[in-house]
Amino acid sequence: MSAENEIRPRNRTARAAVIGNPASARLDAAVGNCFPGLELDVRNLDGRFFPGLLFRVVAAPVAPLPGTPLNEGGARLVVVDWQNDPMLPERSTEPWVVALLAQLSGDVGNTLSRGRWYLQWVEQGGKRISCLQPDGQPWDGKWVWRFLRSLVPDEPLAIGLVNRDAPTPQAVIELHGYRRRYTTPDGVISPVFEPGELTQSLCNPWQHDFRDCACYYWASNHPDVVLGESSANVDGQPEDATTALTYLDWLRRDRTPAGEVAAPDTRTAARPDQIDHFEINQRWQELNFVIGGREIGAVYTPPKPDHAKPYASAEALVDALENELAPMEMTLAIEYLYSLFSLRSVAEAPADRWPTLPDDLLAVRQSLTLVAVSEMTHLRWVNQLLWELGAAGFYPPGRHYTPVVRHSRHGPIGLHGLHQPALRVLDPQALQAYIRVERPGGPLDRAYARCVATLEQPQYPRHLYELAVKIDTDGVQHWERFKDMHNTLARYFQATPLPYLRHIRLGHPKETAAALETYEALVAELRKAYADEAQHNFAGAQLAISRSRALMTALNAEAEALAARGIGIPFFSVP
């Protein structure tokens, strides 16, 4: 194999003596940005884009101090640094290296070492990008940095530099070379970068950045609101119902029990009572660890592991998936959709008497829709488990995979009468029923835990175990969402009638015939999509999925129209 076609490992970083690096770790997987923050400031990589030179991206100040030059923005040359550059070995015979070394080690290098030299233009592939705007003013550093990010390695590159301290315009110094590759062939950072160079421009102290960055930036490292610490009962649930449902501001200044009050609705309202920048430098260690959305104290007692008992055989697993879990997912999705349509629309909310009701309805409707969609996703995943088990030869003799898209036929659905199917309006009793069925550690949770325990055994394909884990862990989010819905609507429970509900009755099949026909067509398209996917007919499956989405949209419109007239769709009347 030739050197240029040689296969080389790119995970040398993972193979280094660094505890915690997975086998897939690569340098380009590092978390970096240009704000700056996180692991590294990627602008520092491009500071050495050209061999022998070190630049710094400079942002023009919004309000320059007296005496500050007005042309600060751009890519400023910091130092001529050719002596130990691996791209410029002194014994090289490459013509471009010889020519560039002669410039940087001679008069050109001496000239560039005096004054404020900035990048004037870059040119590659016959295209020149100017660092000046059409009016002659310099582009800000953030734009020049974007220009540098567009350069590609291994192609000839020319740059022009100009001294902005010169009293009169001077000739541009032109240099020729190649854009640097920032990693070695082994995937390790180039040795031209000094220790600490990639992180030297990060926030200092880091707590300042951490204080202001919300959960959508630091993700799980910085929650906005959390549930407070509380003691648990024998089922692992908080003993104090108020604590269980009260979200606290994680950055609250008052860390005593008196400060454990509900977080304000907006970041602006929460700001006065939060730890400030200089406070967090001294108190950041007081911020509680959060597990599962809840703060924990000095001593964390993990929940007892649920050692689920695997099914006795592959046949028992298939039977549970076909006759209990798949119909249960379909049944719950239908129940949740019926409850969704029982809610008033935002436009129907009596906001004159209940000013907060429109926003509360919007929030609950969104949450309930997400849970219903998630149940349909679970139904698809259960079907995938079934068709993959069939493809791997685990179906009982004489049987083969058939799509399971049906609700429970009768009585309490599976799992020893776990849940009584019913088309319910979203009153307090329905919410409690949904919280019970989705409760972590409950019968539904344990049923999927048995699937996980079964598929974890070595004879089953590994990816089926991972799929079962996804279904199992997703149920916790459903339970939390229903608790949030209960908490949101609790303020209206004492009113009669409930102001957030439509006056709805279960309709007759004849008066809801169009909606039921749409629903049956939707079920048929889903069956076809699953059957095609099982046969690897992905084109056919995609067509069926597209048709099912159109039918879902139509069914939603029909259901909302009927509900606005006080009529609920009798989904369970469909065979």
Side-chain angles (χ1 to χ4, degrees):
M1 182 181 290
S2 65
E4 63 182 26
N5 293 325
E6 181 182 359
I7 298 176
R8 299 181 65 92
R10 299 283 291 167
N11 64 337
R12 182 64 61 82
T13 305
R15 294 153 60 192
V18 179
I19 297 175
N21 278 348
S24 58
R26 287 174 48 170
L27 182 68
D28 54 15
V31 183
N33 63 19
C34 58
F35 280 96
L38 306 181
E39 287 186 49
L40 58 91
D41 184 348
V42 293
R43 295 174 299 185
N44 294 335
L45 287 172
D46 296 294
R48 292 189 181 271
F49 81 97
F50 195 85
L53 303 179
L54 173 60
F55 291 88
R56 285 288 177 258
V57 174
V58 180
V62 178
L65 297 173
T68 302
L70 298 178
N71 54 358
E72 282 286 284
R76 181 176 177 177
L77 177 64
V78 177
V79 67
V80 177
D81 187 22
W82 56 269
Q83 286 89 344
N84 297 308
D85 195 317
M87 289 186 70
L88 301 176
E90 293 188 65
R91 296 186 179 182
S92 175
T93 58
E94 288 277 350
W96 74 270
V97 175
V98 173
L100 184 57
L101 275 175
Q103 289 179 293
L104 298 182
S105 62
D107 292 341
V108 170
N110 291 333
T111 301
L112 292 175
S113 298
R114 298 188 297 271
R116 291 188 309 125
W117 289 86
Y118 278 77
L119 198 62
Q120 186 79 344
W121 49 261
V122 293
E123 183 175 317
Q124 191 175 59
K127 297 180 180 179
R128 177 174 292 189
I129 302 176
S130 174
C131 297
L132 298 179
Q133 302 180 53
D135 61 2
Q137 293 300 311
W139 283 108
D140 188 75
K142 66 180 180 182
W143 296 111
V144 176
W145 174 64
R146 293 292 182 183
F147 302 158
L148 300 183
R149 295 297 290 172
S150 69
L151 301 175
V152 296
D154 303 328
E155 287 191 19
L157 170 66
I159 65 172
L161 298 117
V162 66
N163 185 2
R164 293 186 184 172
D165 279 342
T168 58
Q170 292 184 335
V172 174
I173 291 181
E174 185 171 333
L175 301 176
H176 293 263
Y178 288 80
R179 202 219 78 178
R180 183 185 309 280
R181 281 192 175 273
Y182 302 140
T183 57
T184 69
D186 291 324
V188 178
I189 192 69
S190 170
V192 72
F193 294 99
E194 297 289 340
E197 186 171 333
L198 299 183
T199 60
Q200 63 185 0
S201 56
L202 299 185
C203 294
N204 186 21
W206 63 267
Q207 290 93 338
H208 275 59
D209 195 33
F210 190 70
R211 204 237 81 83
D212 281 340
C213 296
C215 64
Y216 49 77
Y217 184 75
W218 280 84
S220 60
N221 303 84
H222 184 166
D224 282 346
V225 292
V226 294
L227 295 171
E229 179 187 4
S230 65
S231 57
N233 58 26
V234 293
D235 292 325
Q237 306 306 320
E239 291 179 342
D240 180 5
T242 302
T243 303
L245 296 173
T246 300
Y247 279 96
L248 313 176
D249 188 337
W250 187 62
L251 283 175
R252 63 192 182 278
R253 179 179 288 114
D254 187 351
R255 313 301 296 181
T256 68
E260 295 183 358
V261 296
D265 294 335
T266 65
R267 293 179 65 193
T268 302
R271 184 66 180 82
D273 296 316
Q274 291 179 335
I275 294 175
D276 219 324
H277 292 96
F278 293 101
E279 283 183 286
I280 201 171
N281 296 343
Q282 303 295 326
R283 301 182 59 192
W284 62 269
Q285 68 275 10
E286 297 179 24
L287 297 172
N288 287 343
F289 285 97
V290 178
I291 297 180
R294 185 176 297 280
E295 293 182 335
I296 62 172
V299 178
Y300 173 59
T301 304
K304 295 180 180 179
D306 185 5
H307 298 293
K309 181 181 179 181
Y311 287 103
S313 63
E315 181 176 0
L317 172 62
V318 169
D319 285 341
L321 291 170
E322 282 187 338
N323 300 315
E324 292 189 346
L325 294 177
M328 179 190 61
E329 299 291 3
M330 181 76 169
T331 302
L332 291 177
I334 292 172
E335 289 192 56
Y336 297 161
L337 286 175
Y338 190 92
S339 291
L340 171 67
F341 300 133
S342 75
L343 295 171
R344 292 179 185 265
S345 68
V346 174
E348 296 169 348
D352 52 341
R353 183 179 175 189
W354 306 94
T356 61
L357 186 55
D359 287 341
D360 290 339
L361 276 170
L362 180 63
V364 172
R365 274 180 157 268
Q366 288 176 340
S367 291
L368 195 49
T369 301
L370 288 172
V371 175
V373 170
S374 182
E375 296 295 356
M376 290 303 298
T377 303
H378 292 180
L379 176 65
R380 190 266 182 207
W381 287 344
V382 172
N383 274 270
Q384 183 177 351
L385 287 175
L386 288 167
W387 79 58
E388 295 275 9
L389 285 168
F394 288 100
Y395 250 73
R399 292 170 57 184
H400 62 275
Y401 167 70
T402 301
V404 184
V405 188
R406 66 173 187 271
H407 56 77
S408 182
R409 291 189 176 89
H410 53 78
I413 56 175
L415 310 177
H416 312 293
L418 159 68
H419 179 70
Q420 179 67 46
L423 298 177
R424 303 170 169 88
V425 299
L426 197 67
D427 55 21
Q429 292 74 32
L431 281 165
Q432 289 297 336
Y434 298 156
I435 290 172
R436 280 196 303 272
V437 75
E438 299 284 4
R439 181 171 62 85
L444 172 57
D445 195 37
R446 289 197 294 271
Y448 275 115
R450 292 194 69 186
C451 291
V452 171
T454 305
L455 294 172
E456 193 175 14
Q457 298 176 106
Q459 67 265 35
Y460 294 99
R462 180 66 181 179
H463 66 281
L464 297 188
Y465 161 75
E466 295 171 353
L467 185 57
V469 169
K470 287 175 67 176
I471 306 174
D472 187 36
T473 55
D474 198 39
V476 176
Q477 295 185 15
H478 295 185
W479 178 70
E480 291 175 344
R481 286 190 182 278
F482 277 119
K483 288 199 305 175
D484 290 344
M485 287 183 242
H486 184 282
N487 190 38
T488 299
L489 296 176
R491 71 186 70 182
Y492 308 108
F493 288 168
Q494 301 304 315
T496 305
L498 293 172
Y500 61 85
L501 285 179
R502 288 164 165 160
H503 301 292
I504 190 171
R505 62 171 175 81
L506 188 63
H508 300 294
K510 288 185 178 180
E511 63 183 334
T512 58
L516 291 175
E517 184 178 339
T518 303
Y519 172 65
E520 292 186 65
L522 167 60
V523 170
E525 291 294 345
L526 288 176
R527 287 197 181 107
K528 186 178 187 311
Y530 297 163
D532 284 342
E533 280 199 78
Q535 298 298 319
H536 293 177
N537 178 15
F538 299 117
Q542 189 58 51
L543 289 173
I545 290 171
S546 297
R547 291 192 294 268
S548 68
R549 286 174 177 163
L551 289 166
M552 288 178 188
T553 302
L555 179 61
N556 182 72
E558 291 169 356
E560 289 286 3
L562 286 168
R565 293 165 45 200
I567 302 171
I569 299 175
F571 290 105
F572 291 159
S573 67
V574 177

